[in-house]
Amino acid sequence: MNLNLTYYHVASDVPENKTDIAVVIDVLRATTTIAWALKNGADSVEVFADLDLLREKALKWAPEKRVMLAERGGKKIDGFDLGNSPLTVTKKIVEGKRLFMSTTNGTKALQKVENSQFLFPMALTNRKSVADRIISLNKSNILILGSGWEGNYSLEDSLAAGALADYLIKSHNTKVNIVNDELNAALALWHFWKDDVLKCLKTATHGKRLASIGDYEDDFKCCSQIDCLDIVPTQVERGVIRAF
Ligand code: MLT
């Protein structure tokens, strides 16, 4: 197998062409929250860029079968059940339910590549599981998309892109082509920070943003854990993600 790995920092840079596999990363915190919600038994997560559309769709569901999550600028939006913390999507709250979710960047990035043949949201927590699924699918073109911050580069998403590339290079016998320098740089970042991921997250601009608006210490710890979840969040219909 010949894996071509391309990495884009932000959704607006991604060409419209359909790719075999898209992996969307938002370490702080959307894809970490999605992975934990599914691990804790959520039936599915439906993602929205637009809050009005989210409300419209969610309100058609039975209240006891839905949870509405919305975050902007790192903060929960009033009137929604939850914000975007992986610590809040506990079994008690999410089990058996559909989560309707909108975040500043992560859910927009997911929408950008929703036409890919396979779409996997990935965090550091489920890097290995997603990488193993990519290998098992035996496809050539893999696009990795960092959610960034409102159109800008983000350190933590690049770190995770490098972590994914590193795993694929080391664990697969066939050739891995690193198609662009963004991913070469992400690999270098991973090699530099891999023994202190927590520090990397706190050094990142969005880490500093979160730290300036509240006590997010436990979120940082949760988001920095590598390979602790055996969950492969997978888009099963446009915008709807389930665990595999
Ligand atoms: C996002 O989508 O931009 C993030 O997940 C923001 C956050 O930390 O809540």
Coordinates of all heavy atoms in Angstrom, one line a residue, residues 46-137:
E46 N -24.1 14.5 16.0 CA -24.3 15.2 14.8 C -23.7 16.6 14.9 O -24.0 17.3 15.9 CB -25.8 15.3 14.5 CG -26.1 15.9 13.1 CD -27.5 15.7 12.6 OE1 -28.3 15.0 13.3 OE2 -27.8 16.2 11.6
V47 N -22.9 17.0 13.9 CA -22.1 18.2 14.0 C -22.7 19.3 13.1 O -23.1 19.0 12.0 CB -20.6 18.0 13.7 CG1 -20.0 17.1 14.8 CG2 -20.4 17.4 12.3
F48 N -22.6 20.5 13.6 CA -23.2 21.7 12.8 C -22.2 22.8 12.9 O -21.6 23.1 14.0 CB -24.5 22.1 13.5 CG -25.6 21.1 13.5 CD1 -25.7 20.1 14.4 CD2 -26.5 21.1 12.4 CE1 -26.7 19.1 14.4 CE2 -27.5 20.2 12.4 CZ -27.6 19.2 13.4
A49 N -22.1 23.6 11.8 CA -21.4 24.8 11.8 C -22.3 25.9 12.3 O -22.0 26.8 13.0 CB -20.8 25.2 10.4
D50 N -23.6 25.7 12.0 CA -24.6 26.8 12.2 C -25.5 26.4 13.4 O -26.1 25.4 13.5 CB -25.5 26.9 10.9 CG -26.5 28.0 11.0 OD1 -26.1 29.1 10.9 OD2 -27.7 27.7 11.3
L51 N -25.6 27.4 14.3 CA -26.3 27.1 15.6 C -27.9 27.0 15.3 O -28.5 26.3 16.0 CB -26.0 28.2 16.6 CG -24.7 28.2 17.2 CD1 -24.4 29.5 18.0 CD2 -24.5 27.0 18.1
D52 N -28.4 27.9 14.4 CA -29.8 27.8 14.2 C -30.2 26.5 13.6 O -31.3 25.9 14.0 CB -30.2 28.9 13.2 CG -30.1 30.3 13.9 OD1 -30.2 30.4 15.1 OD2 -29.8 31.3 13.1
L53 N -29.4 26.0 12.7 CA -29.7 24.7 12.1 C -29.7 23.6 13.2 O -30.5 22.6 13.2 CB -28.7 24.4 11.0 CG -29.1 23.3 10.0 CD1 -30.4 23.6 9.3 CD2 -27.9 23.2 8.9
L54 N -28.7 23.7 14.0 CA -28.6 22.7 15.1 C -29.9 22.7 16.0 O -30.5 21.7 16.2 CB -27.4 23.1 16.0 CG -27.0 22.2 17.2 CD1 -25.6 22.4 17.7 CD2 -27.9 22.3 18.4
R55 N -30.3 23.9 16.4 CA -31.5 24.0 17.2 C -32.7 23.4 16.5 O -33.5 22.6 17.0 CB -31.8 25.5 17.5 CG -31.0 26.0 18.6 CD -31.5 27.4 19.1 NE -30.5 28.1 19.8 CZ -29.7 29.0 19.3 NH1 -29.8 29.3 18.0 NH2 -28.8 29.7 20.0
E56 N -32.8 23.7 15.2 CA -34.0 23.3 14.4 C -34.0 21.7 14.4 O -35.0 21.1 14.6 CB -33.8 23.8 13.0 CG -35.0 23.7 12.1 CD -34.7 24.1 10.7 OE1 -34.1 25.2 10.5 OE2 -35.1 23.3 9.7
K57 N -32.8 21.1 14.1 CA -32.8 19.7 14.0 C -33.0 19.0 15.4 O -33.7 18.0 15.6 CB -31.5 19.2 13.3 CG -31.6 19.4 11.8 CD -30.6 18.5 11.1 CE -31.1 17.2 10.7 NZ -30.1 16.4 9.9
A58 N -32.3 19.6 16.4 CA -32.3 18.9 17.7 C -33.7 19.0 18.3 O -34.1 18.0 18.9 CB -31.3 19.7 18.6
L59 N -34.4 20.1 18.1 CA -35.7 20.2 18.7 C -36.7 19.3 18.2 O -37.8 19.1 18.8 CB -36.2 21.7 18.7 CG -35.3 22.6 19.5 CD1 -35.7 24.1 19.4 CD2 -35.3 22.2 21.0
K60 N -36.4 18.6 17.0 CA -37.3 17.6 16.5 C -37.1 16.3 17.2 O -37.9 15.3 17.0 CB -37.1 17.4 15.0 CG -37.5 18.6 14.2 CD -37.3 18.4 12.7 CE -37.7 19.7 11.9 NZ -36.9 19.9 10.7
W61 N -36.1 16.1 18.0 CA -35.8 14.9 18.7 C -36.5 14.9 20.1 O -36.6 16.0 20.7 CB -34.3 14.7 18.9 CG -33.7 14.1 17.7 CD1 -33.6 14.8 16.5 CD2 -33.0 12.9 17.5 NE1 -32.9 14.0 15.6 CE2 -32.6 12.8 16.2 CE3 -32.7 11.8 18.4 CZ2 -31.9 11.7 15.7 CZ3 -32.0 10.7 17.9 CH2 -31.6 10.7 16.5
A62 N -36.8 13.7 20.6 CA -37.4 13.7 21.9 C -36.3 14.2 22.9 O -35.2 13.8 22.8 CB -37.7 12.2 22.3
P63 N -36.8 15.1 23.9 CA -35.8 15.7 24.8 C -35.0 14.7 25.5 O -33.8 14.9 25.8 CB -36.7 16.5 25.8 CG -38.0 16.7 25.0 CD -38.1 15.5 24.0
E64 N -35.6 13.5 25.9 CA -34.8 12.5 26.7 C -33.8 11.8 25.8 O -33.0 11.0 26.3 CB -35.7 11.6 27.4 CG -36.6 10.6 26.5 CD -37.8 11.3 25.9 OE1 -38.0 12.5 26.0 OE2 -38.6 10.5 25.3
K65 N -33.8 12.0 24.5 CA -32.9 11.3 23.6 C -31.8 12.2 23.0 O -31.1 11.8 22.1 CB -33.7 10.7 22.4 CG -34.5 9.4 22.8 CD -33.5 8.3 22.8 CE -34.1 7.0 23.3 NZ -33.0 6.0 23.7
R66 N -31.8 13.5 23.5 CA -30.8 14.4 22.9 C -30.1 15.2 23.9 O -30.5 15.4 25.0 CB -31.6 15.4 21.9 CG -32.4 16.4 22.7 CD -33.0 17.5 21.9 NE -33.7 18.4 22.8 CZ -34.9 18.8 22.7 NH1 -35.7 18.4 21.7 NH2 -35.5 19.6 23.6
V67 N -28.9 15.6 23.5 CA -28.1 16.5 24.3 C -27.6 17.6 23.3 O -27.1 17.3 22.3 CB -26.9 15.9 25.0 CG1 -26.1 16.9 25.9 CG2 -27.3 14.6 25.8
M68 N -27.7 18.9 23.7 CA -27.3 19.9 22.8 C -26.0 20.6 23.4 O -26.0 21.1 24.5 CB -28.4 21.0 22.6 CG -29.6 20.4 21.9 SD -31.1 21.3 22.1 CE -30.8 22.8 21.3
L69 N -25.0 20.6 22.5 CA -23.7 21.2 22.9 C -23.3 22.3 22.0 O -23.3 22.2 20.8 CB -22.5 20.1 22.8 CG -22.6 18.8 23.6 CD1 -23.4 17.8 22.9 CD2 -21.1 18.3 23.8
A70 N -22.9 23.4 22.6 CA -22.5 24.6 21.8 C -21.4 25.4 22.5 O -21.6 25.7 23.7 CB -23.7 25.4 21.4
E71 N -20.4 25.7 21.8 CA -19.3 26.5 22.3 C -18.9 27.5 21.3 O -18.9 27.2 20.1 CB -18.1 25.5 22.5 CG -16.7 26.1 22.7 CD -16.0 26.4 21.4 OE1 -16.2 25.7 20.4 OE2 -15.2 27.3 21.4
R72 N -18.5 28.7 21.7 CA -17.9 29.7 20.9 C -16.8 30.4 21.8 O -17.1 30.7 22.9 CB -18.9 30.8 20.4 CG -19.9 30.3 19.3 CD -19.2 29.9 18.0 NE -20.1 29.4 17.0 CZ -20.5 28.2 16.8 NH1 -20.0 27.2 17.6 NH2 -21.4 27.8 15.9
G73 N -15.7 30.6 21.2 CA -14.6 31.2 21.9 C -14.1 30.5 23.1 O -13.5 31.1 24.1
G74 N -14.4 29.2 23.2 CA -14.0 28.3 24.3 C -15.1 28.3 25.4 O -15.0 27.5 26.4
K75 N -16.1 29.1 25.3 CA -17.2 29.1 26.3 C -18.5 28.4 25.9 O -18.8 28.5 24.7 CB -17.5 30.5 26.7 CG -16.3 31.3 27.3 CD -16.7 32.7 27.7 CE -15.5 33.4 28.2 NZ -15.7 34.9 28.1
K76 N -19.2 27.8 26.8 CA -20.5 27.3 26.6 C -21.4 28.4 26.2 O -21.4 29.5 26.8 CB -21.0 26.6 27.8 CG -22.4 26.1 27.8 CD -22.7 25.4 29.1 CE -24.2 25.0 29.2 NZ -25.1 26.1 29.3
I77 N -22.3 28.1 25.3 CA -23.4 29.1 24.9 C -24.6 28.9 25.8 O -25.1 27.8 26.0 CB -23.7 29.0 23.4 CG1 -22.5 29.2 22.6 CG2 -24.8 30.0 23.1 CD1 -22.8 29.2 21.1
D78 N -25.1 30.0 26.4 CA -26.3 29.9 27.2 C -27.4 29.3 26.5 O -27.6 29.5 25.3 CB -26.7 31.4 27.6 CG -25.8 32.0 28.6 OD1 -25.0 31.2 29.2 OD2 -25.9 33.2 28.8
G79 N -28.2 28.5 27.2 CA -29.4 27.8 26.6 C -29.1 26.4 26.1 O -30.0 25.7 25.7
F80 N -27.8 26.1 26.0 CA -27.5 24.7 25.6 C -27.2 23.8 26.8 O -26.9 24.4 27.9 CB -26.3 24.8 24.6 CG -26.7 25.3 23.3 CD1 -26.8 26.6 23.0 CD2 -26.9 24.4 22.2 CE1 -27.2 27.1 21.8 CE2 -27.3 24.9 21.0 CZ -27.4 26.2 20.8
D81 N -27.3 22.5 26.6 CA -27.0 21.6 27.8 C -25.6 21.7 28.2 O -25.3 21.7 29.4 CB -27.4 20.2 27.4 CG -28.9 20.1 26.9 OD1 -29.7 20.7 27.6 OD2 -29.1 19.5 25.9
L82 N -24.7 21.6 27.2 CA -23.3 21.5 27.5 C -22.5 22.4 26.6 O -23.0 22.8 25.5 CB -22.7 20.1 27.3 CG -23.4 18.9 28.1 CD1 -22.7 17.6 27.7 CD2 -23.1 19.1 29.6
G83 N -21.2 22.7 27.0 CA -20.3 23.4 26.1 C -19.5 22.3 25.4 O -20.1 21.4 24.8
N84 N -18.2 22.4 25.4 CA -17.3 21.5 24.6 C -16.2 20.9 25.4 O -15.1 20.9 25.0 CB -16.8 22.3 23.4 CG -15.9 21.5 22.5 OD1 -16.1 20.3 22.4 ND2 -15.0 22.2 21.9
S85 N -16.5 20.5 26.6 CA -15.5 19.9 27.4 C -15.6 18.4 27.4 O -16.7 17.8 27.7 CB -15.6 20.4 28.9 OG -14.7 19.6 29.7
P86 N -14.5 17.6 27.2 CA -14.6 16.2 27.2 C -15.0 15.6 28.6 O -15.5 14.5 28.7 CB -13.2 15.7 26.8 CG -12.3 16.9 27.0 CD -13.2 18.1 26.9
L87 N -14.8 16.4 29.6 CA -15.1 16.0 31.0 C -16.6 16.0 31.2 O -17.1 15.3 32.2 CB -14.4 16.9 32.0 CG -12.9 17.0 31.8 CD1 -12.4 18.0 32.8 CD2 -12.2 15.7 32.0
T88 N -17.4 16.7 30.4 CA -18.8 16.8 30.7 C -19.6 15.7 30.0 O -20.8 15.6 30.4 CB -19.3 18.2 30.3 OG1 -19.1 18.3 28.9 CG2 -18.6 19.3 31.0
V89 N -19.0 15.1 29.0 CA -19.8 14.1 28.3 C -19.8 12.7 29.0 O -19.3 11.7 28.4 CB -19.4 14.0 26.8 CG1 -19.8 15.2 26.1 CG2 -17.9 13.8 26.6
T90 N -20.2 12.7 30.2 CA -20.2 11.5 31.0 C -21.2 10.5 30.6 O -22.2 10.8 29.9 CB -20.5 11.8 32.5 OG1 -21.8 12.4 32.6 CG2 -19.4 12.8 33.1
K91 N -21.0 9.2 31.0 CA -21.9 8.2 30.6 C -23.4 8.5 31.1 O -24.3 8.4 30.3 CB -21.5 6.9 31.4 CG -22.0 5.6 30.9 CD -21.3 4.5 31.6 CE -21.9 3.1 31.5 NZ -21.7 2.5 30.2
K92 N -23.5 9.1 32.3 CA -24.8 9.4 32.8 C -25.5 10.4 31.9 O -26.7 10.3 31.7 CB -24.6 10.0 34.2 CG -25.8 10.2 35.0 CD -25.5 10.6 36.4 CE -26.8 11.0 37.1 NZ -26.7 12.0 38.0
I93 N -24.8 11.3 31.3 CA -25.4 12.4 30.5 C -25.7 11.9 29.1 O -26.7 12.3 28.5 CB -24.6 13.7 30.6 CG1 -24.7 14.2 32.0 CG2 -25.1 14.7 29.6 CD1 -23.9 15.4 32.3
V94 N -24.7 11.1 28.5 CA -24.8 10.9 27.0 C -25.3 9.6 26.6 O -25.6 9.4 25.4 CB -23.4 11.3 26.4 CG1 -23.0 12.6 26.7 CG2 -22.4 10.2 26.7
E95 N -25.3 8.6 27.5 CA -25.5 7.2 27.1 C -26.8 7.1 26.3 O -27.9 7.5 26.8 CB -25.5 6.3 28.3 CG -25.4 4.8 27.8 CD -25.2 3.9 29.0 OE1 -25.6 4.2 30.1 OE2 -24.6 2.8 28.8
G96 N -26.7 6.5 25.1 CA -27.9 6.2 24.3 C -28.5 7.4 23.6 O -29.5 7.3 22.9
K97 N -27.8 8.6 23.7 CA -28.4 9.8 23.2 C -27.7 10.3 21.9 O -26.5 9.9 21.7 CB -28.4 10.9 24.2 CG -29.2 10.5 25.4 CD -29.3 11.7 26.4 CE -30.1 11.2 27.6 NZ -29.9 12.1 28.7
R98 N -28.4 11.1 21.1 CA -27.7 11.8 20.1 C -27.3 13.2 20.6 O -28.0 13.9 21.2 CB -28.6 12.0 18.8 CG -27.9 12.9 17.8 CD -28.4 12.8 16.4 NE -28.3 11.5 15.8 CZ -28.4 11.3 14.5 NH1 -28.7 12.3 13.7 NH2 -28.3 10.1 14.0
L99 N -26.0 13.5 20.3 CA -25.4 14.8 20.7 C -25.5 15.7 19.5 O -25.0 15.3 18.4 CB -24.0 14.6 21.2 CG -23.8 14.3 22.7 CD1 -24.6 13.1 23.1 CD2 -22.3 14.1 23.0
F100 N -26.1 16.8 19.6 CA -26.1 17.9 18.6 C -25.1 18.9 19.0 O -25.2 19.5 20.0 CB -27.5 18.5 18.5 CG -28.5 17.5 18.1 CD1 -29.2 16.6 19.0 CD2 -28.9 17.4 16.7 CE1 -30.1 15.7 18.6 CE2 -29.9 16.4 16.3 CZ -30.5 15.6 17.2
M101 N -24.0 19.1 18.1 CA -22.8 19.8 18.6 C -22.4 20.8 17.6 O -22.3 20.6 16.4 CB -21.7 18.7 18.8 CG -20.4 19.2 19.2 SD -19.3 17.8 19.4 CE -17.9 18.6 20.2
S102 N -22.1 22.0 18.1 CA -21.4 23.0 17.3 C -20.3 23.7 18.1 O -20.5 24.1 19.2 CB -22.5 24.1 16.9 OG -21.9 25.1 16.1
T103 N -19.1 23.8 17.5 CA -18.0 24.5 18.1 C -17.4 25.5 17.2 O -17.7 25.5 16.0 CB -16.9 23.4 18.5 OG1 -16.3 22.9 17.3 CG2 -17.5 22.3 19.3
T104 N -16.5 26.3 17.7 CA -15.9 27.4 16.9 C -15.3 27.0 15.6 O -15.5 27.5 14.6 CB -14.9 28.2 17.8 OG1 -15.5 28.4 19.1 CG2 -14.6 29.5 17.1
N105 N -14.5 25.9 15.7 CA -13.7 25.5 14.5 C -13.9 24.0 14.2 O -13.9 23.7 13.0 CB -12.2 25.7 14.8 CG -11.9 27.2 15.2 OD1 -11.9 28.1 14.4 ND2 -11.7 27.4 16.5
G106 N -13.9 23.2 15.2 CA -13.9 21.7 14.9 C -15.1 21.2 14.0 O -14.9 20.5 13.1
T107 N -16.3 21.7 14.4 CA -17.4 21.2 13.6 C -17.4 21.8 12.2 O -17.9 21.1 11.2 CB -18.8 21.4 14.3 OG1 -18.9 22.8 14.6 CG2 -18.8 20.7 15.6
K108 N -16.9 23.0 12.0 CA -16.8 23.6 10.7 C -15.8 22.7 9.8 O -16.0 22.5 8.7 CB -16.2 25.0 10.8 CG -17.2 26.0 11.2 CD -16.7 27.4 11.1 CE -17.7 28.3 11.8 NZ -17.0 29.2 12.7
A109 N -14.7 22.3 10.5 CA -13.7 21.5 9.7 C -14.3 20.2 9.3 O -14.1 19.7 8.2 CB -12.5 21.3 10.6
L110 N -15.1 19.6 10.2 CA -15.8 18.3 9.8 C -16.7 18.5 8.7 O -16.7 17.7 7.7 CB -16.5 17.8 11.1 CG -15.6 17.1 12.1 CD1 -16.3 17.1 13.5 CD2 -15.1 15.7 11.7
Q111 N -17.4 19.6 8.7 CA -18.3 19.9 7.5 C -17.6 20.1 6.2 O -18.0 19.7 5.2 CB -19.2 21.1 7.8 CG -20.4 20.7 8.7 CD -21.5 21.7 8.6 OE1 -21.4 22.8 8.1 NE2 -22.7 21.3 9.1
K112 N -16.4 20.7 6.3 CA -15.6 21.0 5.1 C -15.3 19.7 4.3 O -15.2 19.7 3.1 CB -14.4 21.7 5.5 CG -13.4 22.0 4.4 CD -13.9 23.1 3.4 CE -13.0 23.2 2.2 NZ -13.3 24.4 1.4
V113 N -15.1 18.6 5.0 CA -14.6 17.3 4.3 C -15.7 16.2 4.4 O -15.4 15.1 4.3 CB -13.3 16.9 4.8 CG1 -12.2 17.8 4.4 CG2 -13.2 16.7 6.4
E114 N -17.0 16.6 4.6 CA -18.0 15.7 4.9 C -18.3 14.8 3.6 O -19.0 13.8 3.7 CB -19.3 16.3 5.3 CG -19.9 17.2 4.3 CD -21.1 18.0 4.8 OE1 -21.4 18.0 6.0 OE2 -21.8 18.7 3.9
N115 N -17.8 15.2 2.5 CA -18.0 14.4 1.3 C -16.9 13.3 1.0 O -17.0 12.6 0.0 CB -18.1 15.2 0.0 CG -19.4 16.1 0.1 OD1 -20.4 15.6 0.6 ND2 -19.4 17.3 -0.4
S116 N -16.0 13.2 1.9 CA -14.9 12.2 1.8 C -15.5 10.8 1.9 O -16.5 10.6 2.5 CB -13.9 12.4 2.9 OG -13.5 13.7 3.0
Q117 N -14.8 9.9 1.2 CA -15.4 8.5 1.3 C -15.5 8.0 2.8 O -16.4 7.4 3.2 CB -14.5 7.6 0.5 CG -15.2 6.2 0.2 CD -14.3 5.3 -0.5 OE1 -13.1 5.6 -0.9 NE2 -14.7 4.0 -0.6
F118 N -14.4 8.3 3.5 CA -14.4 8.0 4.9 C -13.9 9.2 5.7 O -13.0 9.9 5.2 CB -13.3 6.9 5.3 CG -13.7 5.5 4.7 CD1 -13.2 5.1 3.4 CD2 -14.5 4.6 5.4 CE1 -13.6 3.9 2.9 CE2 -14.9 3.4 4.8 CZ -14.4 3.0 3.6
L119 N -14.6 9.5 6.8 CA -14.3 10.7 7.6 C -14.2 10.3 9.1 O -15.1 9.7 9.6 CB -15.3 11.7 7.4 CG -15.3 12.9 8.4 CD1 -13.9 13.6 8.4 CD2 -16.4 14.0 8.0
F120 N -13.0 10.5 9.6 CA -12.7 10.2 11.0 C -12.3 11.4 11.8 O -11.2 12.0 11.5 CB -11.6 9.1 11.1 CG -11.8 7.9 10.3 CD1 -10.8 7.5 9.4 CD2 -12.9 7.1 10.5 CE1 -11.0 6.4 8.6 CE2 -13.1 5.9 9.7 CZ -12.1 5.6 8.8
P121 N -13.1 11.8 12.8 CA -12.6 12.8 13.7 C -11.5 12.1 14.6 O -11.7 11.0 15.1 CB -13.8 13.2 14.6 CG -15.0 12.7 13.8 CD -14.5 11.5 13.1
M122 N -10.4 12.8 14.8 CA -9.3 12.2 15.6 C -8.7 13.2 16.6 O -8.6 14.4 16.3 CB -8.2 11.7 14.7 CG -7.1 10.9 15.4 SD -5.5 10.8 14.5 CE -4.7 12.2 15.2
A123 N -8.4 12.7 17.8 CA -7.7 13.5 18.8 C -6.5 12.7 19.2 O -6.2 11.6 18.7 CB -8.6 13.6 20.0
L124 N -5.7 13.2 20.1 CA -4.5 12.4 20.6 C -5.0 11.2 21.3 O -4.3 10.1 21.2 CB -3.7 13.3 21.5 CG -2.9 14.4 20.9 CD1 -2.4 15.4 21.9 CD2 -1.8 13.9 20.0
T125 N -6.1 11.2 22.0 CA -6.6 10.1 22.7 C -6.9 8.9 21.9 O -6.9 7.8 22.4 CB -8.0 10.5 23.4 OG1 -8.8 11.1 22.4 CG2 -7.7 11.5 24.6
N126 N -7.3 9.1 20.6 CA -7.7 7.9 19.8 C -6.8 7.8 18.6 O -7.2 7.2 17.6 CB -9.1 7.9 19.5 CG -9.6 9.1 18.6 OD1 -8.9 10.1 18.6 ND2 -10.7 9.0 18.0
R127 N -5.6 8.4 18.6 CA -4.7 8.4 17.5 C -4.4 7.0 16.9 O -4.5 6.7 15.8 CB -3.4 9.1 17.9 CG -2.4 9.1 16.8 CD -1.1 8.5 16.9 NE -0.6 7.8 18.0 CZ 0.7 7.7 18.3 NH1 1.6 8.4 17.6 NH2 1.1 7.0 19.4
K128 N -4.1 6.0 17.8 CA -3.7 4.7 17.4 C -4.9 4.0 16.8 O -4.7 3.3 15.7 CB -3.2 3.9 18.6 CG -2.8 2.5 18.3 CD -2.3 1.7 19.6 CE -2.0 0.3 19.3 NZ -3.0 -0.5 18.6
S129 N -6.1 4.1 17.4 CA -7.3 3.4 16.8 C -7.6 3.9 15.4 O -7.9 3.1 14.5 CB -8.5 3.6 17.7 OG -8.2 3.2 19.0
V130 N -7.5 5.2 15.2 CA -7.8 5.8 13.9 C -6.7 5.3 12.9 O -7.0 4.9 11.8 CB -7.9 7.3 14.0 CG1 -8.0 7.9 12.6 CG2 -9.2 7.7 14.8
A131 N -5.5 5.4 13.4 CA -4.4 5.0 12.5 C -4.5 3.5 12.0 O -4.4 3.2 10.9 CB -3.0 5.2 13.2
D132 N -4.9 2.6 13.0 CA -5.1 1.2 12.6 C -6.2 1.0 11.6 O -6.1 0.2 10.7 CB -5.3 0.4 13.9 CG -4.0 0.2 14.7 OD1 -2.9 0.4 14.2 OD2 -4.2 -0.1 15.9
R133 N -7.3 1.8 11.8 CA -8.4 1.8 10.8 C -7.9 2.2 9.5 O -8.3 1.6 8.4 CB -9.6 2.6 11.3 CG -10.8 2.7 10.4 CD -11.4 1.3 10.2 NE -11.7 0.7 11.4 CZ -12.8 0.9 12.1 NH1 -13.7 1.7 11.7 NH2 -13.0 0.2 13.3
I134 N -7.1 3.3 9.4 CA -6.6 3.8 8.1 C -5.8 2.7 7.4 O -6.0 2.4 6.2 CB -5.8 5.0 8.3 CG1 -6.6 6.2 8.7 CG2 -5.0 5.4 7.1 CD1 -5.8 7.4 9.2
I135 N -5.0 2.0 8.2 CA -4.2 1.0 7.6 C -5.1 -0.2 7.1 O -4.9 -0.7 6.0 CB -3.2 0.4 8.7 CG1 -2.1 1.5 9.0 CG2 -2.5 -0.9 8.2 CD1 -1.3 1.2 10.2
S136 N -6.1 -0.5 7.9 CA -6.9 -1.7 7.5 C -7.7 -1.3 6.2 O -8.1 -2.2 5.5 CB -7.8 -2.1 8.6 OG -8.8 -1.1 8.7
L137 N -8.0 -0.1 5.9 CA -8.8 0.3 4.8 C -8.0 0.2 3.5 O -8.6 0.2 2.4 CB -9.4 1.7 5.0 CG -10.5 1.8 6.0 CD1 -10.8 3.3 6.3 CD2 -11.8 1.1 5.4

